[in-house]
Amino acid sequence: MATYLVGDIQGCFTDLIALLEDVDFDRQRDHLYIAGDLVARGPDSLSVLRFVKLLGAHGHTVLGNHDLHLLAVSEGIMKPKAKDKTLPILEAEDREELLHWLRQQPLLLHVEKSNTTHSGFVMSHAGISPDWDLATAKSCASEVESVLRSDRYQWLLEKMYANEPAMWSESLSGIERYRYTINALTRMRYCTPDGRLDMACKLPPHQINDGSLIPWFEMPNRQPIAPMQVFGHWAALGGVMKNNVLGLDTGCVWGGAMTMMRWEDGQVFSRPCPVHAG
């Protein structure tokens, strides 16, 4: 049995299958963990959803910002965008089954497994707020997951679209607490020096030279989290492994590559991809 971790798929179904064939992925024995954004911008988001769902207990994903947006579109809260290429999902016969399954997926996964070299990992789409320890991150994620899986999910999907509050406080409650959690786990890239989440900048860190923004994983007062923190979301990084974080989004949908790590031995597999986003 092997455990494979992969970054954003974003509808790039044929690239995912090709990479799984490269590593001889066994659907009956191996496990696949996806760092969110199963859908949007690539050519075949419908097949990605169907495939990961069919993996059953051997397929695991966290929700990304594009996944949440698809759920909002499916409820008529937001209008579909042609560039997202998700209309086939909305028109599919198994639409309701797929979207219900997607809504049950977590915002954060903590895999507690150990071997001679690794003691487990925690996965979320964008990262983990520098102000959170692992217990807080898991608790906040669980709060939002409970609402998404309840009959209040439409209310949450409607109210999640805002950048505030940008600063964490344990006193946050209700939609403000949920929104901070969603933004931290699915949208965050940078923080300001005082710890506020920045939702605007998508540039790579080497292009930020004035000290106004700091990658979340380089914040000097970031709470220590022992397991490796695995994330996607930030294609401009081109992948990263430092400060106990592993970034796996290498921009497949933009003509970069799809990157996968085998957790047990740390071997990295990468497959160049054509440009899919238009």
Side-chain angles (χ1 to χ4, degrees):
M1 184 189 82
T3 306
Y4 293 96
L5 318 180
V6 67
D8 305 34
I9 307 302
Q10 292 199 245
C12 300
F13 178 66
T14 58
D15 301 288
L16 172 63
I17 296 303
L19 187 54
L20 290 174
E21 290 175 351
D22 288 346
V23 301
D24 294 323
F25 181 78
D26 186 332
R27 301 186 192 187
Q28 305 303 315
R29 291 174 48 83
D30 298 336
H31 285 260
L32 177 66
Y33 286 82
I34 304 170
D37 275 4
L38 298 178
V39 304
R41 306 297 177 89
D44 199 353
S45 293
L46 176 58
S47 290
V48 173
L49 287 183
R50 286 172 172 166
F51 174 76
V52 180
K53 180 177 179 293
L54 282 172
L55 286 177
H58 291 259
H60 316 265
T61 186
V62 293
L63 291 169
N65 54 304
H66 284 294
D67 305 317
L68 289 172
H69 184 71
L70 171 64
L71 290 172
V73 169
S74 73
E75 295 296 331
I77 295 166
M78 302 295 287
K79 294 182 178 180
K81 299 176 182 178
K83 66 180 180 180
D84 283 342
K85 304 176 185 175
T86 54
L87 191 59
I89 297 172
L90 303 176
E91 295 178 342
E93 291 184 359
D94 53 349
R95 159 198 165 121
E96 296 305 321
E97 182 182 348
L98 291 170
L99 294 171
H100 177 79
W101 170 83
L102 186 64
R103 188 160 57 83
Q104 310 311 305
Q105 303 313 304
L107 288 171
L108 182 145
L109 280 168
H110 181 202
V111 179
E112 301 181 76
K113 58 189 301 183
S114 61
N115 54 34
T116 57
T117 58
H118 293 102
S119 58
F121 60 89
V122 57
M123 174 181 279
S124 58
H125 179 59
I128 294 177
S129 168
D131 289 329
W132 287 347
D133 58 18
L134 182 55
T136 304
K138 292 171 70 173
S139 176
C140 289
S142 179
E143 291 171 9
V144 175
E145 291 160 7
S146 294
V147 180
L148 274 175
R149 296 165 184 170
S150 76
D151 58 7
R152 299 173 63 213
Y153 73 94
Q154 292 166 315
W155 167 81
L156 178 63
L157 293 171
E158 181 180 0
K159 299 295 185 181
M160 70 179 179
Y161 288 94
N163 295 336
E164 298 291 337
M167 182 75 78
W168 168 249
S169 170
E170 185 58 49
S171 66
L172 289 175
S173 62
I175 190 57
E176 290 196 335
R177 188 178 180 94
Y178 300 154
R179 191 185 293 131
Y180 180 91
T181 297
I182 289 170
N183 287 343
L185 294 176
T186 73
R187 296 181 60 211
M188 168 185 70
R189 294 183 178 90
Y190 287 104
C191 297
T192 59
D194 65 353
R196 296 177 64 84
L197 304 184
D198 177 83
M199 295 292 107
C201 186
K202 299 181 181 181
L203 296 173
H206 70 267
Q207 294 186 25
I208 309 296
N209 301 314
D210 60 1
S212 61
L213 296 174
I214 303 169
W216 65 267
F217 52 84
E218 292 183 350
M219 289 291 287
N221 297 319
R222 181 165 67 96
Q223 291 292 312
I225 293 179
M228 179 77 76
Q229 296 170 61
V230 183
F231 68 104
H233 184 56
W234 199 346
L237 288 176
V240 65
M241 186 173 181
K242 62 179 181 178
N243 298 340
N244 207 37
V245 299
L246 173 64
L248 287 171
D249 183 6
T250 48
C252 176
V253 76
W254 306 107
M258 187 172 290
T259 298
M260 181 179 290
M261 173 184 278
R262 186 166 57 215
W263 184 247
E264 284 74 16
D265 61 5
Q267 186 170 349
V268 174
F269 306 87
S270 187
R271 188 178 184 90
C273 302
V275 177
H276 293 298

